[in-house]
Amino acid sequence: MSYNSFGHMFRMTTFGESHGPALGCVVDGCPPNIPLTESDIQHFLDRRKPGQSRFTTQRREPDTVRILSGVFEDADTGGPVTTGTPIALMIENVDQRSKDYGDIKDKFRPGHADFTYWAKYGVRDYRGGGRSSARETAARVAAGAVARKVVPGMAVRGALVQIGPHKVDRERWDWAEVERNPFFCPDAETAALWADYLDGIRKAGSSVGAVIEVTASGVPAGLGAPVYAKLDQEIASALMSINAVKGVEIGAGFASAELTGEENADEMRMIDGHPEFLSNKAGGILGGISSGQEIVARFVVKPTSSILSPRRTVDKAGQETDIVTKGRHDPCVGIRAVPVGEAMLALVLADHYLLHRGQMGG
Amino acid sequence: MSYNSFGHMFRMTTFGESHGPALGCVVDGCPPNIPLTESDIQHFLDRRKPGQSRFTTQRREPDTVRILSGVFEDADTGGPVTTGTPIALMIENVDQRSKDYGDIKDKFRPGHADFTYWAKYGVRDYRGGGRSSARETAARVAAGAVARKVVPGMAVRGALVQIGPHKVDRERWDWAEVERNPFFCPDAETAALWADYLDGIRKAGSSVGAVIEVTASGVPAGLGAPVYAKLDQEIASALMSINAVKGVEIGAGFASAELTGEENADEMRMIDGHPEFLSNKAGGILGGISSGQEIVARFVVKPTSSILSPRRTVDKAGQETDIVTKGRHDPCVGIRAVPVGEAMLALVLADHYLLHRGQMGG
Amino acid sequence: MSYNSFGHMFRMTTFGESHGPALGCVVDGCPPNIPLTESDIQHFLDRRKPGQSRFTTQRREPDTVRILSGVFEDADTGGPVTTGTPIALMIENVDQRSKDYGDIKDKFRPGHADFTYWAKYGVRDYRGGGRSSARETAARVAAGAVARKVVPGMAVRGALVQIGPHKVDRERWDWAEVERNPFFCPDAETAALWADYLDGIRKAGSSVGAVIEVTASGVPAGLGAPVYAKLDQEIASALMSINAVKGVEIGAGFASAELTGEENADEMRMIDGHPEFLSNKAGGILGGISSGQEIVARFVVKPTSSILSPRRTVDKAGQETDIVTKGRHDPCVGIRAVPVGEAMLALVLADHYLLHRGQMGG
Amino acid sequence: MSYNSFGHMFRMTTFGESHGPALGCVVDGCPPNIPLTESDIQHFLDRRKPGQSRFTTQRREPDTVRILSGVFEDADTGGPVTTGTPIALMIENVDQRSKDYGDIKDKFRPGHADFTYWAKYGVRDYRGGGRSSARETAARVAAGAVARKVVPGMAVRGALVQIGPHKVDRERWDWAEVERNPFFCPDAETAALWADYLDGIRKAGSSVGAVIEVTASGVPAGLGAPVYAKLDQEIASALMSINAVKGVEIGAGFASAELTGEENADEMRMIDGHPEFLSNKAGGILGGISSGQEIVARFVVKPTSSILSPRRTVDKAGQETDIVTKGRHDPCVGIRAVPVGEAMLALVLADHYLLHRGQMGG
């Protein structure tokens, strides 16, 4: 109901526009006594930060986070821990370039939210996309950094697995490689190929789509809530809420349309005295509930709508016109969606960890 | 938070197990003064009803709906109208075959929710899948029939667009054909091909996946609520909540990964004095808000997990074993997901129509 | 947001009108493996049932409850236990007397919801008050019977403490007496006085207000959630949602206006090695969180609006008129509010027990 | 579910501790195109501000509000208007006196939330009460200032009607007087009496309780949502969420226990062609829905728990001890609760105005 909140028991409410004074979030429902410093959060914000390579927007935002509430000194260690009260996180906007927005002030950029915000609200902050800007995702990454600390033993990771027509080679997948290239690519060879390919896109003033894969290991079996808070439903909701995402799939996903029941069944055997699955077509979720296997989800990000080629459009006055979107933009906005996708997955799992504990105890 | 409710302002809460005395739902938040009879609802339940062709389960459930509350005689016409109070709908289970469930009582069927329900709750109604059965979707279709009446001029339709490797030919798309074959297929030639293909699957005791497309026309621009109740997010959540769904996409969906910004942009022109889009890669949603174009979403349903080939599994006692799932099952459970997908789309749109009206007036 | 639901994690959704086919509720979020039979619930419904003395309405409703879902045989005992899925409870209406409602069909009865329902919805089920009837509270009592089983060791009790000007004598308080008279009065002498007094009211066709006190012992410290789900806030919300209630207070309540800080402070001492309070002005709640003391709340029920003296009113057509409310009514509707108040208190505490367990573990 | 949020469609989430860097709130769901400046909000914050007379705490907080998001220039006027996106409001704490909190760090002050926060969370920010401090209500007043602008024609007012044993004389009620004395007292004679009385309390280092009345005129008929979002229920929840409140009543409230049905009935007549009530025992709400009459609610605030007389208590280590609460405190915390009560009433009504418009249109 609250449009700018996400989650049930572990709940984030975000605020802020691209060119306003600040953006941030309130994280509510976090358990107490979890060590938390600004640098814990800053680490993840830095991964999402713009301007770190020639493949992302050149806007220079330090994205420095400030904790306004919800932490206090631990009685024993004296170090900062969560108190169970709301954690407000603020990031001030710094590099709002004082440019002339005259061109986009009254024109609707194709593929952007310009037309629909105007149709809905009759007013919009057109500077940098206002509230529809992907800058809002900085708040998600900050909240996600807190969420990662809630489920003991859980590790959430993400990688870019496709840019345009070029997919990673899963045989060469190496998680360590993800941190070594500007694409969060788990495969060095593909990363090199993407660099060439994206240079072409970038120089042409064009853009291209991408697919991201996010995973979570160490998730206990039993999380998720049939029927209308299924874990895969919640993950789909979380990932589809990210700017420019047009599709989400879990496990085998859309490929399962072509599988038979025999191929799709994840058979089970006892391994080391525990029931284990022999494959993971389900992506770690059966009947909306985690199975204890790795959670695997993918989402597609459409090409950045801001491109240099003129596109036909109309303006608020109902005049036909053309538009070219100048300014600083990502040639493949999917790249920076990797840490955002990780954050959203962590948020869902933290939330359902608490929900499960509530109904079940333990 | 409530696991068995869906929606915010127009809200459905479902209950019931596959072999319990009854299933149903409470529809809350419906506007008053909407004409509503049991036959309005029954029409849609009949489309989802099992046993209507050799391609769906042979369980014979009349799925007769009874309205328990929330309608009363209109002061003028005397006919039944909604009163604004909760509409309780009940469907009694009739054909719960008194079979021996011994085999599945203690074994976890691969691909089913057996293991995860047990891991979560420590108890489960194993008869016909209990609460995890797709019988629950009858309640959704009933609620969806009410939802269809909420948005003036809106039409929600669905079609099966892929079974196994076989996709419909979009050049031959004919909505009228959807009601003429047992597959909700919009293309007679493909329907014939599917019949042959599925007969083979069925006779082999196997199953196969499918893709469904659902659309809504007549949806006003402005519905949807950034940032965490984006219309596409809500649709993804709604469709992913359907049993066996593993992926959801909007508009160009996963194909947009391979598009450039130029290809993906839906340009605009003034047509008959109104701003109109020249294409619909966005699936009718920009920035999480409806654009006035047709809403287009697709979802994939995995192959039915109940198959005749023995699969390796374990039981509650931790013993390795094999299992064959007998009983009456759908060779392609995706077929009957078509009216369910329609219902879920209608529910999302009814909900957001009311939410929009609340924040904006009008 | 959902108008007919109450609770967050342990959540009840009710439906039904006074003269419709049935009323009931769906209880969602109940932990699994709690033994539950229809007779567990019937016990509490029987306490609320009308027609049990000359001091309550003579409508004869057996209020027989039927469990439609959410329980299944325990693997070990074979007895019915909750499964963690929604528990649907249905009570069929039996004694809807086929009378002529002509008089109240178009007139607004003073003190009733007739005018406001009509102003809001433009349509209303006028038979017996429709949805605004206190018959809806049967569903609450049924759900409350489930709630009582959620918090280990918790006991919820209620008593009528005032009818008209006559208050119970707290020196003579005896909980056992509550079950021995038709008023849920904890003091036999006052019960006798009330019988005389109410006979007078009843014979005059008049009615009178009352005050109910509900308490819960065995509530662990720590329940409640600052800032906007304070335990006292939730109790106030729960009790004020009961028909005809016009005020709620916790602990010393309104009397605390006249106390000094010294008088109001509940001092603490160590007793048997545990911190204990020496008084309970706070009613068991400090800062919105339970202290481990007994929870004590009171609420006032206004006099039944249906009386035999003619009252001035208007009708739907805007004509001035008089109205006399015949039919079967309670001379003091506060009496039957006792089990309803208990149920609501149990619902709040079950909900917050689960919420607390979710955020805190344990 | 979210502990620090209030409201459904018009929703406020607050954050911050008494001695942290800042406190504030995010207001979500506000309609767009409402003129809003910081001074609109500051006006109401100034009424709640501490240190304005000798009868409130001497802490000197300017309570200067800063709007961080959610407003933008109107296309026509250029003036700031709401945009429909979340409005973040921040108030920096200034006068957190660097005192020694050693005494209360480990001891539980009777009547405070010290013990229960510790029992719940195992950690607490003891400085000035941390999150349990009434400083949080500054955020409510800020959000309430926005809420006041949502319902056209609505006016929300409040007054202190009782301090200790001394009630205002309703015959002398003058709303203009409320702004002329430091008590929000509508009666100059009583204000003078209270000044003397409170000077005695203050000099004795004691404190006393109070009763506040809040009203809203210009509220359209039809607001409120049976059965579990009744308007009086929501008001009770809102007012009971304020620090130190122990009781709430609507209209005749607890006095209705002693009334007969005849006395309590608000009769109706046609006046100027409209149905009107001849009295307002109901406080403007029937069946949980507004009647169009003035909404009238009262709440009681217990005496400030911080007093100079030593009280017996225990500490975290389980040692018995005494405590004297020094520092700057309100002798009657009820005084500053007046603007807070107004804010909460405005928030409820704004929320239900939007909810009603959503379900009903218009």
Side-chain angles (χ1 to χ4, degrees):
Chain A
M1 182 63 230
S2 185
Y3 303 158
N4 294 280
S5 297
F6 184 84
H8 309 277
M9 181 159 255
F10 187 94
R11 189 170 175 89
M12 143 184 85
T13 300
T14 73
F15 64 89
E17 281 87 28
S18 179
H19 286 60
L23 57 88
C25 62
V26 181
V27 177
D28 199 4
C30 185
N33 298 305
I34 295 177
L36 182 70
T37 65
E38 284 162 353
S39 63
D40 291 336
I41 300 169
Q42 197 63 50
H43 168 72
F44 292 100
L45 281 171
D46 289 348
R47 293 180 77 222
R48 194 212 72 103
K49 203 164 61 175
Q52 303 195 103
S53 80
R54 67 183 184 275
F55 304 109
T56 59
T57 172
Q58 295 306 300
R59 180 168 170 175
R60 298 282 169 180
E61 285 290 350
D63 280 355
T64 306
V65 70
R66 196 174 155 213
I67 301 178
L68 297 181
S69 65
V71 298
F72 192 64
E73 62 197 47
D74 180 66
D76 295 325
T77 69
V81 295
T82 58
T83 59
T85 63
I87 303 164
L89 304 173
M90 185 170 71
I91 297 163
E92 295 194 63
N93 285 319
V94 172
D95 185 22
Q96 313 103 302
R97 199 170 286 183
S98 115
K99 58 181 274 193
D100 173 23
Y101 287 96
D103 204 36
I104 64 165
K105 183 176 172 183
D106 295 318
K107 294 181 184 178
F108 304 125
R109 293 170 296 165
H112 277 90
D114 298 349
F115 174 73
T116 53
Y117 267 68
W118 177 79
K120 184 177 188 77
Y121 298 113
V123 59
R124 66 190 178 88
D125 181 348
Y126 48 77
R127 302 168 305 164
R131 181 69 180 153
S132 74
S133 164
R135 263 199 75 61
E136 185 268 349
T137 60
R140 304 177 185 223
V141 170
V146 184
R148 285 170 186 267
K149 294 178 159 241
V150 170
V151 188
M154 180 181 76
V156 171
R157 295 188 291 192
L160 202 64
V161 297
Q162 182 179 350
I163 291 186
H166 305 293
K167 301 184 183 183
V168 300
D169 183 336
R170 288 184 173 263
E171 299 296 313
R172 291 195 300 259
W173 191 292
D174 175 7
W175 278 110
E177 181 59 30
V178 165
E179 305 298 328
R180 291 191 204 116
N181 61 70
F183 305 108
F184 303 105
C185 179
D187 160 16
E189 283 187 43
T190 300
L193 186 156
W194 286 352
D196 284 348
Y197 174 73
L198 264 193
D199 272 332
I201 293 285
R202 184 171 57 84
K203 287 170 186 165
S206 184
S207 66
V208 72
V211 177
I212 292 96
E213 181 166 311
V214 286
T215 69
S217 59
V219 177
L223 306 198
V227 174
Y228 297 112
K230 287 194 166 95
L231 193 57
D232 29 12
Q233 172 186 4
E234 299 277 80
I235 292 170
S237 173
L239 298 178
M240 197 69 105
S241 78
I242 301 171
N243 312 50
V245 173
K246 300 303 283 186
V248 179
E249 60 181 12
I250 307 290
F254 275 90
S256 62
E258 307 201 11
L259 299 178
T260 62
E262 288 78 5
E263 292 164 336
N264 192 61
D266 298 317
E267 295 182 293
M268 301 187 78
R269 276 292 172 255
M270 297 301 292
I271 297 176
D272 296 335
H274 294 96
E276 298 282 357
F277 294 88
L278 306 180
S279 57
N280 191 10
K281 292 289 197 307
I285 305 172
L286 284 167
I289 301 173
S290 65
S291 65
Q293 285 192 286
E294 188 175 54
I295 306 288
V296 181
R298 276 176 301 281
F299 59 102
V300 61
V301 176
K302 70 178 183 182
T304 316
S305 300
S306 301
I307 49 176
L308 287 181
S309 313
R311 296 284 99 187
R312 290 175 290 173
T313 191
V314 302
D315 65 17
K316 283 165 63 179
Q319 298 300 310
E320 299 192 341
T321 181
D322 281 7
I323 192 162
V324 171
T325 311
K326 294 168 189 160
R328 303 160 295 178
H329 297 290
D330 296 277
C332 176
V333 74
I335 298 170
R336 289 171 56 215
V338 174
V340 182
E342 290 175 4
M344 295 309 294
L345 183 57
L347 284 160
V348 169
L349 292 167
D351 190 26
H352 276 274
Y353 178 76
L354 301 185
L355 287 170
H356 177 74
R357 191 162 73 174
Q359 196 182 3
M360 302 302 141
Chain B
M1 181 65 230
S2 186
Y3 304 156
N4 293 281
S5 297
F6 184 83
H8 310 276
M9 180 160 257
F10 188 95
R11 189 171 174 88
M12 143 184 87
T13 300
T14 73
F15 65 87
E17 281 87 29
S18 179
H19 286 61
L23 57 88
C25 62
V26 180
V27 177
D28 199 4
C30 185
N33 298 305
I34 296 177
L36 182 69
T37 65
E38 284 162 352
S39 63
D40 291 337
I41 301 169
Q42 197 63 49
H43 168 73
F44 292 100
L45 282 171
D46 290 347
R47 293 180 78 221
R48 194 212 71 103
K49 203 165 62 176
Q52 303 195 102
S53 80
R54 67 184 184 276
F55 305 110
T56 59
T57 172
Q58 296 306 299
R59 179 168 171 175
R60 298 281 170 182
E61 285 290 350
D63 280 355
T64 305
V65 69
R66 196 173 156 214
I67 300 178
L68 297 181
S69 66
V71 297
F72 192 63
E73 62 196 48
D74 180 65
D76 296 325
T77 69
V81 296
T82 58
T83 59
T85 62
I87 303 164
L89 304 174
M90 185 170 71
I91 297 163
E92 295 195 62
N93 285 320
V94 172
D95 185 23
Q96 314 103 303
R97 198 170 287 183
S98 110
K99 57 180 276 194
D100 173 24
Y101 287 97
D103 204 35
I104 63 165
K105 183 177 171 182
D106 295 319
K107 293 181 183 177
F108 304 125
R109 292 170 297 166
H112 277 89
D114 298 350
F115 175 72
T116 52
Y117 266 68
W118 177 79
K120 184 176 188 75
Y121 297 113
V123 59
R124 68 190 177 89
D125 181 348
Y126 48 77
R127 302 168 306 164
R131 181 69 181 153
S132 74
S133 165
R135 263 199 76 61
E136 186 268 347
T137 61
R140 303 177 186 224
V141 170
V146 184
R148 284 169 186 268
K149 294 176 160 243
V150 170
V151 188
M154 180 180 77
V156 172
R157 295 188 291 192
L160 203 64
V161 297
Q162 182 179 350
I163 292 186
H166 305 293
K167 301 184 183 182
V168 299
D169 183 336
R170 288 185 174 262
E171 299 296 314
R172 291 195 300 258
W173 192 293
D174 175 7
W175 278 111
E177 182 59 31
V178 165
E179 305 299 326
R180 291 191 204 116
N181 62 69
F183 305 108
F184 303 104
C185 179
D187 160 15
E189 283 187 43
T190 300
L193 186 156
W194 285 352
D196 284 348
Y197 174 74
L198 264 193
D199 272 333
I201 293 284
R202 185 172 57 84
K203 286 170 187 164
S206 184
S207 66
V208 72
V211 177
I212 292 94
E213 181 166 312
V214 287
T215 69
S217 59
V219 177
L223 307 198
V227 175
Y228 297 112
K230 287 195 166 95
L231 193 56
D232 29 12
Q233 172 186 2
E234 298 277 80
I235 293 170
S237 173
L239 298 178
M240 197 69 105
S241 78
I242 301 172
N243 312 49
V245 173
K246 299 303 282 186
V248 178
E249 60 182 12
I250 308 290
F254 275 90
S256 63
E258 306 201 11
L259 299 177
T260 63
E262 288 79 5
E263 292 164 336
N264 192 61
D266 297 317
E267 295 182 293
M268 301 186 78
R269 276 293 171 254
M270 297 301 292
I271 297 176
D272 296 334
H274 294 96
E276 298 281 357
F277 295 89
L278 306 180
S279 57
N280 191 10
K281 291 290 197 306
I285 305 172
L286 284 168
I289 301 173
S290 64
S291 66
Q293 286 193 286
E294 188 174 56
I295 306 288
V296 181
R298 277 177 301 281
F299 59 101
V300 61
V301 177
K302 69 179 184 182
T304 317
S305 301
S306 300
I307 48 176
L308 287 181
S309 311
R311 296 284 98 186
R312 290 175 290 173
T313 192
V314 302
D315 64 17
K316 283 164 62 179
Q319 298 300 311
E320 299 191 342
T321 180
D322 281 7
I323 192 162
V324 171
T325 310
K326 293 169 190 159
R328 302 160 295 178
H329 297 289
D330 296 277
C332 176
V333 74
I335 299 171
R336 290 170 56 214
V338 174
V340 181
E342 291 174 4
M344 295 309 294
L345 183 56
L347 284 160
V348 169
L349 292 167
D351 190 26
H352 275 275
Y353 178 77
L354 301 185
L355 287 170
H356 177 74
R357 191 161 74 175
Q359 197 182 3
M360 303 303 141
Chain C
M1 182 65 229
S2 185
Y3 303 156
N4 293 280
S5 297
F6 184 84
H8 310 277
M9 181 160 255
F10 188 94
R11 189 169 175 89
M12 143 183 86
T13 300
T14 74
F15 66 87
E17 281 87 28
S18 179
H19 286 60
L23 57 87
C25 63
V26 180
V27 177
D28 200 4
C30 184
N33 298 306
I34 296 176
L36 182 69
T37 65
E38 284 162 353
S39 63
D40 291 338
I41 301 169
Q42 197 63 50
H43 168 72
F44 292 100
L45 282 171
D46 289 348
R47 294 180 76 222
R48 193 211 73 103
K49 204 165 59 175
Q52 302 195 103
S53 81
R54 68 183 183 276
F55 304 109
T56 60
T57 172
Q58 295 307 300
R59 179 169 170 173
R60 297 283 170 179
E61 285 290 349
D63 281 354
T64 306
V65 70
R66 196 173 156 215
I67 300 178
L68 296 182
S69 66
V71 298
F72 192 62
E73 62 196 49
D74 180 66
D76 295 326
T77 68
V81 295
T82 58
T83 59
T85 62
I87 303 165
L89 304 172
M90 186 170 72
I91 297 163
E92 295 193 62
N93 285 321
V94 172
D95 185 22
Q96 314 102 303
R97 197 171 289 183
S98 113
K99 58 182 272 194
D100 173 24
Y101 286 97
D103 204 36
I104 64 166
K105 183 176 171 182
D106 295 318
K107 293 181 184 177
F108 305 124
R109 293 169 296 166
H112 277 90
D114 298 349
F115 174 73
T116 53
Y117 267 68
W118 176 79
K120 184 177 188 75
Y121 297 114
V123 58
R124 66 188 179 90
D125 181 349
Y126 49 78
R127 302 168 304 164
R131 181 67 180 154
S132 74
S133 164
R135 262 200 76 60
E136 187 268 348
T137 60
R140 303 176 186 225
V141 170
V146 183
R148 285 170 186 268
K149 295 178 158 239
V150 169
V151 188
M154 179 181 78
V156 172
R157 296 187 290 193
L160 203 63
V161 297
Q162 181 178 350
I163 291 186
H166 305 293
K167 302 184 183 183
V168 300
D169 183 336
R170 289 184 173 263
E171 299 296 315
R172 290 196 300 259
W173 191 292
D174 175 6
W175 278 110
E177 181 59 30
V178 165
E179 305 298 327
R180 292 191 204 118
N181 61 69
F183 305 108
F184 303 105
C185 179
D187 160 16
E189 283 187 43
T190 300
L193 186 156
W194 285 351
D196 285 347
Y197 174 73
L198 263 193
D199 272 332
I201 293 284
R202 185 171 58 85
K203 286 170 187 165
S206 184
S207 66
V208 73
V211 176
I212 293 96
E213 181 166 311
V214 286
T215 68
S217 59
V219 176
L223 306 198
V227 175
Y228 297 112
K230 286 194 167 97
L231 194 56
D232 29 12
Q233 172 187 3
E234 298 277 79
I235 293 170
S237 173
L239 298 178
M240 197 68 104
S241 77
I242 301 171
N243 312 49
V245 173
K246 301 304 282 185
V248 179
E249 61 181 12
I250 307 289
F254 275 90
S256 62
E258 307 200 11
L259 299 178
T260 63
E262 289 76 5
E263 292 164 335
N264 192 60
D266 298 317
E267 295 182 294
M268 301 186 77
R269 274 293 173 256
M270 297 302 292
I271 298 176
D272 296 335
H274 294 96
E276 300 280 358
F277 295 88
L278 306 180
S279 57
N280 191 11
K281 292 289 196 307
I285 305 173
L286 284 167
I289 301 173
S290 64
S291 66
Q293 284 192 287
E294 188 174 54
I295 306 288
V296 181
R298 276 175 302 281
F299 60 102
V300 63
V301 176
K302 69 180 184 182
T304 315
S305 302
S306 301
I307 48 177
L308 286 182
S309 312
R311 295 285 100 187
R312 289 174 291 172
T313 191
V314 302
D315 64 17
K316 282 164 62 178
Q319 298 301 310
E320 298 191 341
T321 180
D322 281 8
I323 192 163
V324 171
T325 311
K326 293 169 189 160
R328 304 160 295 179
H329 296 289
D330 296 277
C332 176
V333 74
I335 299 170
R336 288 171 58 216
V338 174
V340 181
E342 291 175 3
M344 295 310 293
L345 182 57
L347 284 160
V348 168
L349 292 167
D351 191 26
H352 275 275
Y353 178 76
L354 301 186
L355 287 169
H356 177 75
R357 190 161 74 174
Q359 197 184 2
M360 303 302 141
Chain D
M1 182 63 230
S2 185
Y3 303 156
N4 293 281
S5 298
F6 185 83
H8 309 278
M9 181 160 256
F10 188 95
R11 190 170 174 89
M12 143 184 87
T13 300
T14 73
F15 65 87
E17 281 87 29
S18 179
H19 286 61
L23 57 89
C25 63
V26 181
V27 177
D28 199 3
C30 184
N33 299 303
I34 296 177
L36 183 70
T37 65
E38 283 162 352
S39 63
D40 291 337
I41 300 169
Q42 197 63 51
H43 168 72
F44 292 100
L45 282 170
D46 288 348
R47 294 179 78 223
R48 195 211 72 102
K49 204 165 60 177
Q52 303 194 100
S53 81
R54 67 183 184 276
F55 304 109
T56 60
T57 171
Q58 296 307 299
R59 179 168 170 174
R60 297 282 170 182
E61 285 290 349
D63 280 354
T64 306
V65 70
R66 197 175 155 211
I67 300 179
L68 296 181
S69 65
V71 298
F72 192 62
E73 61 197 49
D74 181 64
D76 296 326
T77 68
V81 295
T82 58
T83 59
T85 62
I87 303 164
L89 305 173
M90 186 170 72
I91 297 163
E92 295 194 63
N93 285 320
V94 172
D95 185 22
Q96 313 104 301
R97 197 170 288 183
S98 113
K99 58 182 271 194
D100 173 24
Y101 286 98
D103 205 36
I104 64 166
K105 182 176 171 183
D106 295 318
K107 293 181 182 177
F108 305 125
R109 292 169 297 166
H112 278 89
D114 298 349
F115 174 73
T116 53
Y117 267 67
W118 177 79
K120 183 177 189 75
Y121 297 113
V123 58
R124 67 189 179 89
D125 181 348
Y126 48 77
R127 301 168 306 164
R131 181 68 181 155
S132 74
S133 164
R135 261 200 77 60
E136 186 268 347
T137 61
R140 303 177 185 224
V141 170
V146 184
R148 285 170 186 267
K149 294 177 158 241
V150 170
V151 188
M154 180 179 79
V156 172
R157 296 188 289 194
L160 202 64
V161 297
Q162 182 179 349
I163 291 186
H166 305 293
K167 301 184 184 183
V168 300
D169 183 336
R170 289 184 174 264
E171 299 297 314
R172 291 195 300 259
W173 191 292
D174 175 7
W175 278 110
E177 182 60 30
V178 165
E179 306 298 326
R180 291 192 205 116
N181 62 69
F183 305 108
F184 304 104
C185 179
D187 159 15
E189 284 188 42
T190 300
L193 186 155
W194 287 351
D196 285 347
Y197 174 73
L198 265 192
D199 273 332
I201 293 284
R202 185 171 58 84
K203 287 170 187 164
S206 183
S207 66
V208 72
V211 177
I212 292 96
E213 180 167 312
V214 287
T215 68
S217 59
V219 177
L223 306 198
V227 174
Y228 297 112
K230 286 194 167 96
L231 194 56
D232 29 12
Q233 172 186 4
E234 298 277 80
I235 293 169
S237 173
L239 298 177
M240 197 69 104
S241 78
I242 301 171
N243 311 48
V245 173
K246 300 304 281 184
V248 179
E249 61 181 10
I250 307 290
F254 275 90
S256 62
E258 307 201 11
L259 299 178
T260 62
E262 289 78 6
E263 293 164 334
N264 192 61
D266 298 316
E267 295 181 293
M268 301 185 79
R269 274 294 172 255
M270 297 302 293
I271 297 176
D272 296 333
H274 294 97
E276 299 281 358
F277 295 89
L278 305 180
S279 57
N280 191 11
K281 292 289 197 307
I285 306 173
L286 285 167
I289 301 173
S290 64
S291 66
Q293 285 192 287
E294 189 174 56
I295 306 288
V296 181
R298 275 176 302 282
F299 59 101
V300 61
V301 176
K302 69 179 185 183
T304 316
S305 302
S306 301
I307 48 177
L308 286 181
S309 312
R311 295 285 99 187
R312 290 174 290 171
T313 192
V314 302
D315 64 17
K316 282 164 64 179
Q319 297 300 311
E320 298 191 342
T321 180
D322 281 8
I323 192 162
V324 172
T325 310
K326 293 168 190 160
R328 303 160 295 178
H329 297 288
D330 296 276
C332 176
V333 74
I335 298 170
R336 290 171 57 215
V338 174
V340 182
E342 291 175 4
M344 294 310 294
L345 182 57
L347 284 160
V348 168
L349 292 167
D351 191 25
H352 276 275
Y353 178 76
L354 301 185
L355 287 169
H356 177 75
R357 190 162 74 172
Q359 197 183 1
M360 302 303 141

